[in-house]
Structures are given as structure tokens and as C-alpha cells.
Amino acid sequence: MAEVELLSTPHNIQIIEVSCDSFRITWEMAHEDTSRVTHYFIDLSRKEGSEPNRFKHRDVPTKLVAKAGPLPMSVRGHWFLSPRTEYCVAVQTAIRQPDGDYQVSEWSQVVEFCTGDYAMEHLQQLLDKAQAAAGRMLRFSVFYRNQNPEYFHYVRSECGGAMLPSLKDNSGSHGSPINGKLRGIFLSCNTEFDTGLPPKDSPYGPLRFQIPAERLLNASTNLYFSDFYCMYTAYHYVVLVLAPAGSEGDDFCKSRLPRLDLTTNPFLTYTAGDVPVFCHASDVILEVMFTEPLLLEHGVLAQISGRHQLMSLSTANAKKDPSCKVCNISVGR
């Protein structure tokens, strides 16, 4: 019986054109194998700590079996890839035998890569879902920020009375392009139905800074959509970025986030006039990220009359509910 010629081990694995839910993969193999190989086996898993994935035995078909074709090979839709997630991948080539079994190569070296942020097309899908949940518009007149007394003491004593932008945490959708990359100051603008005023309670602290809406939302600022999520509750949150035109924050958002028309969007609007009119969506909780420093002297600081221990409503580093059909899109969480 003639000796079976072994397949060479795939090497020089390269991952290219990585998005939040797809990638292309290519590798090198012996020239004589190119015409013999009939199938590719690709095994991929999330990276767990510092230990690379332990792959299946060399003679067991793997998670993805594809007919051999030109490289690089596109991988999309075979796994539910998550954005901003580290993965391990290895490749095996194979020749299908007449009896249906495979002659296989050794596994390649394990290669690690990380998926990307939501692209503009994915954010548009999220925006469409958020728009359907926004509800009617209500008038408001101030943006506000609740914090503890120690925060405002620090602002006065160490920052010259200016609230400084801080890096966005990883709350909300894992694929939001602003997470861990954009600096800003989070503000609220939601009002109570019966009074038209900010709510009396807050999960963030007993002191509230209020600033007139026209100082931040006007013809010189740009408004962007960045996220839509919930935290295993009926409440849904929409994250917006408010950036003065031409600012560093504005430059960051231009190519990464959908820009909203200030006068017609379903979340936060500004209508110019002798007395400008400002409105917010009523059925979602808006989190507005302003990308520039804010001076305390431009607003008013006062104690709230309600409770400030509602920590269940805090969104600090909150994880998005991956099972919610209202706020999830198919490319990941």
C-alpha cells in the first residue's frame, strides 16, 4: 500500500478586515497541498484569561467546516461574534476521502485577535430601534447632574470650579464606539410628567448642578446617537453625545456615530426663536454626554428634595441585557 503523503501544517496565520461581527483569515501552506486540500477546518473561541483555547483532537471535525477556496476567507455569520471581544483561532486543512472521512493536517499555531466596535450601519440599526421606543416629546429647560458633596468640593478645590470630562465607562452596549475612548460629562434632562421639572430623586447624589439648556444645546453644537440599552428592567436608556462644533469630541464622533438633526430627531431637540424651545423624549431615559468642561458658575448647585439612594437606577458600568428584543441587534451585545 502506498504511503499517504501528509499535509503540511498551515502557518503564518493572518486575521484581516476585522469588524464587530466578521473577519477574514488567510494562511500559508505547502504549494503541493493547494491542489489537494478540499476543506478547511476553523476553530474559534473566546480567549479565557491568559490560557489559549484547547482545541479538539486533530481527527475531529471542528466548529466550522468550509470547502477549500481562494484565500483570504471571509468568516461572517458562522458564530455570533461579540464586539470588542478577544478570540483565539486555529486552522486545519483536510482532504475528504471517498468513505467520507478526512485526512487532516496538524492544527496551526493559535492566533489571537479582537473584534471591533459597532460600525455606522450597526449603530443605525440600534438608532432605528431606539426611535421606535422614544415616545412623545416633552419640554425641558435645564440640563442637570447629580453627585455627592465630595465631588463638587473636589471640583472647586482642585479643578478651579470646572467639571472636567472623564473617560466613558463600559456600561451599555459592548460595541458602542465611545466606551473607554471618549471623554465627557454625563448630564440628564428628563422631567417629571406632572411638573415638567427634573425628578426629585436621584441615584447619583444629593447635590444637583443645573445649567440652562441653551448654554449647551444650540446651533453651535452637534448631537450624535451612541447607544440604546436596558439593564434587565423595563427602563430603556438612550445615550447621546453633545459636542461643540469643531471640538475634539466633535471630530471623534463625526466618523463613528450617526449625527442627529437638532430640530427633528426623536430624542432631544432645539428650536431657535426669541424664546428657544427644548424637548426630550418621554419614554426613554436620556444620558447626554457633553464633551467639554463645564464651569459651576454657569449654573446653580442645590440640594435635591427627594432621595438619593436609588442605586438600582444607577447605570455606572451597567451591563446590557442581552436577551431584550427591544434594544438588541443581531451583531452582538
Side-chain angles (χ1 to χ4, degrees):
M1 180 181 294
E3 184 177 347
V4 176
E5 185 176 353
L6 298 178
L7 287 168
S8 62
T9 302
H11 61 282
N12 192 23
I13 312 299
Q14 296 183 50
I15 307 295
I16 58 175
E17 298 178 28
V18 180
S19 73
C20 68
D21 66 341
S22 67
F23 62 93
R24 302 186 78 195
I25 183 170
T26 187
W27 60 87
E28 295 178 9
M29 52 186 165
H31 178 70
E32 58 269 22
D33 290 345
T34 304
S35 58
R36 298 196 301 143
V37 167
T38 61
H39 290 79
Y40 304 142
F41 297 163
I42 298 177
D43 205 345
L44 176 143
S45 67
R46 290 181 186 235
K47 180 181 177 182
E48 299 293 343
S50 59
E51 289 289 325
N53 181 49
R54 294 184 178 277
F55 294 100
K56 299 179 181 180
H57 296 296
R58 62 187 300 273
D59 59 346
V60 179
T62 55
K63 295 177 183 176
L64 173 61
V65 180
K67 288 186 177 181
L71 297 175
M73 169 186 170
S74 294
V75 179
R76 175 190 291 271
H78 301 89
W79 295 279
F80 287 103
L81 296 176
S82 295
R84 288 190 177 193
T85 302
E86 291 184 318
Y87 289 95
C88 301
V89 64
V91 176
Q92 191 178 49
T93 57
I95 301 173
R96 185 178 176 87
Q97 305 296 309
D99 61 1
D101 201 359
Y102 291 93
Q103 177 192 343
V104 297
S105 70
E106 295 288 348
W107 280 109
S108 72
Q109 183 178 7
V110 176
V111 174
E112 298 175 2
F113 71 99
C114 186
T115 48
D117 299 333
Y118 284 157
M120 197 73 80
E121 63 183 288
H122 306 121
L123 288 168
Q124 186 61 50
Q125 293 177 36
L126 208 56
L127 171 57
D128 292 342
K129 281 181 167 282
Q131 181 170 342
R136 65 190 180 95
M137 303 296 282
L138 299 177
R139 289 195 180 193
F140 76 100
S141 59
V142 297
F143 288 101
Y144 56 93
R145 176 176 174 84
N146 275 74
Q147 278 287 350
N148 54 59
E150 292 76 18
Y151 170 82
F152 289 110
H153 175 74
Y154 179 82
V155 168
R156 286 196 180 98
S157 62
E158 304 294 332
C159 305
M163 293 187 291
L164 303 179
S166 58
L167 201 61
K168 169 71 170 65
D169 65 11
N170 289 317
S171 61
S173 299
H174 198 48
S176 176
I178 70 172
N179 288 355
K181 294 182 179 180
L182 182 63
R183 292 183 177 274
I185 302 167
F186 269 106
L187 304 163
S188 300
C189 64
N190 288 83
T191 57
E192 294 184 324
F193 287 100
D194 54 346
T195 66
L197 300 174
K200 297 177 181 179
D201 302 325
S202 172
Y204 299 105
L207 291 182
R208 175 173 291 163
F209 170 77
Q210 291 189 174
I211 186 169
E214 57 264 29
R215 274 196 172 270
L216 308 185
L217 185 57
N218 52 60
S220 298
T221 53
N222 288 327
L223 183 66
Y224 298 91
F225 171 86
S226 70
D227 203 1
F228 178 47
Y229 71 100
C230 70
M231 304 181 297
Y232 302 90
T233 67
Y235 303 108
H236 277 86
Y237 297 82
V238 170
V239 182
L240 305 175
V241 179
L242 196 57
S247 65
E248 185 176 343
D250 189 41
D251 290 341
F252 176 92
C253 295
K254 280 180 181 177
S255 60
R256 296 176 173 88
L257 304 177
R259 182 178 168 184
L260 303 176
D261 189 305
L262 286 180
T263 62
T264 62
N265 77 84
F267 310 114
L268 185 69
T269 60
Y270 155 74
T271 303
D274 294 337
V275 179
V277 175
F278 304 91
C279 294
H280 70 82
S282 60
D283 290 351
V284 292
I285 299 174
L286 296 183
E287 297 181 307
V288 182
M289 188 180 195
F290 188 69
T291 61
E292 300 301 305
L294 287 175
L295 294 175
L296 292 181
E297 65 185 41
H298 289 163
V300 176
L301 187 63
Q303 182 110 6
I304 61 173
S305 59
R307 296 170 295 169
H308 63 274
Q309 299 296 330
L310 306 175
M311 292 310 294
S312 62
L313 295 181
S314 171
T315 60
N317 287 304
K319 299 304 179 185
K320 182 174 184 175
D321 178 2
S323 65
C324 179
K325 295 181 179 179
V326 174
C327 61
N328 279 294
I329 55 178
S330 61
V331 295
R333 311 305 180 222

